[in-house]
């Protein structure tokens, strides 16, 4: 029996959301759905699109609920010199899956940037590791894709397939268990009441509703983890040069967190700088030209200089950087081209968290994406984990349909949990440890980790192994 | 590991009672009160994914795989299918059959009222099962009588003489409990239309099954009431094979439509089909009635 949520819990969640259990009266009978997906982000849309593209799961009655207006994503008409600051790194495995469903064809390919090389180095010792696909593999390490681009492609795909009932600009008001009317016993079915007044009874309710998942709260699934005390600062930058030819991703581990420059088409790149909340606020407050100089400092100056500039210089970072740069030796092959400008309004920051739900499933409930897990962005795995969840859950639902199982029963959902939980657990753990390992200037730790990086750099076999993991091959 | 080692006591009791009902033609009122109270305590677990029926639930997809492999042998149509599940228990198989795309109707038959109450209650939780699945309190011998009494001969168009006909008759984990397996199977077969199948599962009479179901489960662990299993009643695949081959109009010209396939529960991996396993423990069997 799930207890009623206390008001303090609700306040803490800060969601316009109420939970009522076994409501004794229902205004109207709910409509029956096989799958109700809460959340119209990349994970929820991918699930809807893959369930509609399989012959077995196509007959399922599916609804998708999204609080925001999806019209801008549907009518997305970007200009070639403007890129969103919300960009995800997709592994070849994720892209292959999206290709298999047909959704990838509807993503604007001219706005997707692949890269074949990766430069990673220790900001304290300078130890470096280069990855490139000359190590026996011809394919790309990853693909940088704006979330808008993916969302818009998925929406077009869903619309071309038809049959998914999308309710956008619609909030979930409450989730309760259904009732027994003497003929039909829906007491094990979640009934979702929407802000429109519509009620949906779900054979399977999928929480694709993000880190504060109301579906997870309804299912009383605990989530564990911690805040890193770090913020991710993102921005769209224009770099020196034309940006033609092979692209490389750059990541430098600074004691405050990694700074990464990820290639976008042409001379553009996207920045992900994980740092303290104070630094993040300071960076955000800088004038555009000073912000650009601070980013260049982040990749090129000593970690002590970076710390000094970001902590103390609020104006004139351009001059500060120019002066200090003269006294710093930089291997141009190992660092990204200098940023020359930052796209207007593209600087944003968000807190970094590690979270993992105790379970991804409950009776008639499955969680996917951020509702199940949040990971440090340093390995660019967040969305890939979500797509992994979608692939696994869709496969599990398909198997259940083939074998006449009730797709909402815990027994039918178990293979999904078993397949994804451990995989995600390992990845979350590795990324978490990497963050901690590099979050220090302690000399012995730096010596050992640098030795580690140098050794890894010398061993092509191990590097290939790491790259294959990074690319989910 | 054999299913019988871990199979739920609920089902043991149910099938035991089914056996008695079979042998005494419905005199099912003479249940041991101790067994009934034991059963009542366990009945609520039938659909509990972590309860005593878990292994049966996990085995269920294999039953459907085996069934589908039988049907695909002749490319038999799988549209508008009518199924009869004999010894349906709480409805684990019957519900799945009713959810399959090509199913028109499923009748689940079981003589134990308490078990059927569970089955009917659970069926109400799924709107997709309404009008496709129906439970009848009967044995295979009393089925026609009960159907007539309930006025439920909606399968009239399939009638052949005195019997309601089905595309497939299933009977899972039952034949090892009936006093006359061949007579029981003959009854089942009389409800199959030409080109249809009898599909079931049971357990071989081997030293392995003796050790796991009699010695360990009953005598040592006591997880199954003593005397639940009569090892001597276990049926070997070769025995079923020779019985099937003796049936005119069944199993194809040279027995090519008689199928056996072993299966086993492997801890950590779950249920797996094990070709040749029919000689050792749990196995599926299938026989097709020749098309006319």
């Amino acid at each position: 029996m799930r207890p009623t949520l206390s008001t303090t819990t609700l306040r803490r969640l800060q969601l316009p959301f109420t939970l009522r259990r076994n409501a004794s009266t229902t205004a109207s009978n709910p409509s029956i759905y096989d799958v109700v997906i809460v959340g119209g982000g990349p994970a929820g849309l991918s699930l809807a699109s893959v369930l509609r593209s399989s012959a077995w799961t196509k007959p399922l009655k599916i609804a998708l609920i999204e609080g925001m207006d999806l019209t801008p994503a549907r009518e997305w008409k970007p200009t070639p010199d403007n890129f969103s600051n919300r960009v995800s790194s997709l592994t070849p495995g994720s892209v292959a899956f999206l290709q298999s469903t047909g959704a990838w064809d509807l993503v604007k390919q001219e706005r997707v940037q692949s890269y074949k090389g990766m430069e990673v180095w220790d900001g304290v010792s300078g130890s470096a590791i280069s990855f490139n696909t000359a190590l026996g593999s011809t394919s790309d390490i990853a693909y940088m894709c704006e979330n808008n681009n993916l969302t818009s492609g998925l929406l077009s795909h869903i619309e071309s397939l038809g049959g998914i009932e999308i309710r956008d600009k619609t909030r979930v008001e409450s989730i309760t268990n259904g009732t027994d009317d003497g003929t039909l016993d829906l007491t094990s079915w979640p009934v979702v009441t929407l802000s429109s007044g519509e009620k949906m009874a779900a054979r399977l309710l999928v929480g694709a509703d993000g880190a504060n998942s109301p579906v997870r709260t309804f299912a009383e699934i605990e989530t564990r983890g911690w805040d890193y005390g770090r913020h991710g600062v993102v921005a769209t930058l224009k770099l020196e040069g034309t940006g033609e030819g092979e692209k490389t991703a750059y990541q430098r581990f600074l004691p405050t967190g990694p700074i990464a420059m990820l290639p976008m088409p042409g001379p553009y790149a996207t920045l992900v700088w994980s740092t303290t909340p104070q630094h993040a606020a300071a960076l955000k407050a800088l004038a555009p030209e000073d912000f650009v100089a601070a980013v260049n400092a982040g990749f090129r100056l000593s970690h002590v200089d970076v710390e000094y500039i970001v902590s103390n210089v609020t104006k004139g970072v351009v001059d500060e950087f120019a002066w200090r740069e003269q006294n710093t030796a930089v291997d141009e092959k190992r660092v990204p081209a200098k940023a020359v400008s930052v796209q207007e309004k593209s600087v944003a920051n968000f807190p970094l968290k590690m979270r993992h739900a105790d379970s991804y499933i409950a009776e008639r409930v499955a969680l996917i994406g951020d509702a199940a897990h949040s990971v440090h962005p340093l390995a660019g795995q967040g969305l890939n984990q979500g797509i992994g969840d979608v692939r696994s859950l869709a496969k599990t639902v398909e198997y259940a349909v083939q074998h006449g199982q009730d797709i909402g029963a815990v027994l039918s959902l178990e293979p999904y949990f078993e397949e994804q939980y451990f995989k995600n657990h390992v990845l979350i753990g590795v990324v978490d440890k990497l963050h901690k390992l590099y979050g220090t200037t302690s000399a012995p730790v730096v010596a050992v980790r640098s030795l580690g990086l140098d050794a890894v750099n010398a061993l092509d076999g191990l590097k290939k192994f790491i790259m294959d993991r990074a690319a989910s091959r | 590991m054999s299913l019988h080692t871990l199979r739920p006591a609920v089902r043991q009791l149910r099938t035991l009672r089914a056996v008695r009902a079979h042998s005494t033609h419905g005199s099912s009122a003479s249940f041991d009160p101790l067994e009934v109270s034991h059963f009542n305590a366990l009945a609520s677990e039938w659909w509990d994914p972590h309860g005593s029926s878990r292994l049966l639930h996990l085995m269920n997809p294999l039953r459907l795989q085996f069934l589908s492999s039988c049907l695909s042998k002749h490319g038999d149509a799988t549209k508008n299918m009518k199924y009869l599940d004999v010894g349906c228990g709480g409805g684990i198989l019957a519900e799945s059959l009713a959810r399959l795309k090509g199913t028109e109707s499923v009748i689940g038959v079981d003589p134990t009222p308490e078990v059927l109450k569970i089955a009917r209650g659970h069926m109400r939780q799924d709107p997709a099962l309404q009008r496709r699945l129906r439970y009848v309190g009967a044995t295979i011998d009393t089925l026609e009588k009960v159907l007539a009494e309930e006025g439920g001969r909606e399968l009239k168009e399939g009638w052949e003489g005195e019997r309601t006909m089905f595309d497939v008759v299933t009977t899972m984990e039952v034949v090892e409990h009936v006093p006359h397996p061949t007579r029981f199977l003959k009854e089942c077969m009389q409800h199959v239309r030409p080109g249809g199948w009898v599909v079931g599962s049971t357990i071989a009479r081997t030293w392995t099954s003796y050790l796991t179901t009699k010695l360990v489960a009953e005598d040592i662990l006591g997880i199954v009431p003593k005397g639940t299993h009569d090892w001597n009643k276990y049926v070997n695949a070769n025995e079923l094979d020779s019985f099937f081959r003796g049936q005119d109009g069944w199993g194809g010209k040279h027995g090519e439509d008689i199928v056996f396939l072993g299966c086993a529960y492997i801890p950590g991996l779950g249920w797996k089909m094990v070709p040749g396993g029919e000689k050792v423990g749990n196995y599926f069997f299938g026989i097709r009635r020749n098309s006319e």
Side-chain angles (χ1 to χ4, degrees), chain A residues 384-454:
Chain A
N384 296 299
Q385 282 188 311
I387 289 174
D389 294 346
V390 167
R391 171 163 52 182
S392 173
L393 180 59
K395 194 174 72 185
T396 300
V397 169
E398 185 178 81
Y399 181 88
V401 170
Q402 282 167 348
H403 294 85
Q405 309 292 301
D406 183 338
I407 61 166
V410 164
L411 270 159
S412 306
L413 296 171
E414 274 176 5
Y416 162 58
F417 175 63
E418 282 160 14
E419 181 173 53
Q420 285 306 106
Y421 182 84
F422 187 68
K423 224 192 266 179
N424 287 335
H425 184 75
V426 169
L427 188 62
I428 289 168
V430 168
V431 173
D432 183 52
K433 300 300 174 294
L434 271 175
H435 166 78
K436 287 179 178 148
L437 182 62
Y438 283 93
T440 179
T441 48
S442 151
V445 178
V446 172
V448 169
R449 78 186 184 205
S450 302
L451 198 65
L453 270 191
D454 288 338

Side-chain angles (χ1 to χ4, degrees), chain B residues 237-250:
Chain B
N238 62 335
E239 292 161 352
L240 276 185
D241 191 45
S242 55
F243 162 69
F244 285 152
R245 281 170 189 270
Q247 304 305 303
D248 272 350
W250 284 81

Side-chain angles (χ1 to χ4, degrees), chain A residues 92-104:
Chain A
S94 297
V95 169
F97 171 66
L98 293 168
Q99 270 166 345
S100 73
T101 69
W104 188 248

Side-chain angles (χ1 to χ4, degrees), chain A residues 350-366:
Chain A
F350 51 89
L352 302 183
K353 293 169 179 186
M354 192 286 260
R355 290 284 187 279
H356 203 189
D358 284 355
S359 179
Y360 298 176
I361 57 169
E363 187 67 15
R364 305 203 177 282
V365 172

Side-chain angles (χ1 to χ4, degrees), chain A residues 173-251:
Chain A
E173 292 286 351
S174 71
I175 309 174
T176 62
N177 276 350
T179 53
D180 185 347
D181 66 4
T183 311
L184 211 51
D185 174 9
L186 294 181
T187 50
S188 74
W189 286 49
V191 174
V192 180
T193 304
L194 306 180
S195 50
S196 58
E198 193 177 2
K199 284 174 192 284
M200 296 176 170
R203 182 185 291 279
L204 174 61
L205 177 65
V206 178
D209 45 355
N212 292 323
S213 168
V215 172
R216 192 183 63 220
T217 308
F218 164 76
E220 293 192 335
I221 296 171
E222 293 284 328
T223 169
R224 289 164 209 283
W226 44 82
D227 295 353
Y228 284 108
R230 292 288 185 277
H231 277 228
V233 178
V234 293
T236 305
L237 297 162
K238 191 175 179 188
L239 306 184
E240 275 178 350
T242 57
E244 279 160 14
E246 289 293 331
K247 294 283 183 97
T248 300
Y250 299 87
Q251 179 153 293

Side-chain angles (χ1 to χ4, degrees), chain A residues 49 66 124 174 202 210 235 290 357 359:
Chain A
S49 114
E66 166 59 41
V124 178
S174 71
D290 283 338
S359 179

Side-chain angles (χ1 to χ4, degrees), chain A residues 180 185 189 203 403-404, chain B residues 54 64 96 99 124-126:
Chain A
D180 185 347
D185 174 9
W189 286 49
R203 182 185 291 279
H403 294 85
Chain B
R54 182 172 169 83
L64 289 133
S96 311
R99 276 192 209 97
R124 290 201 304 118
Q125 296 182 18
D126 188 348

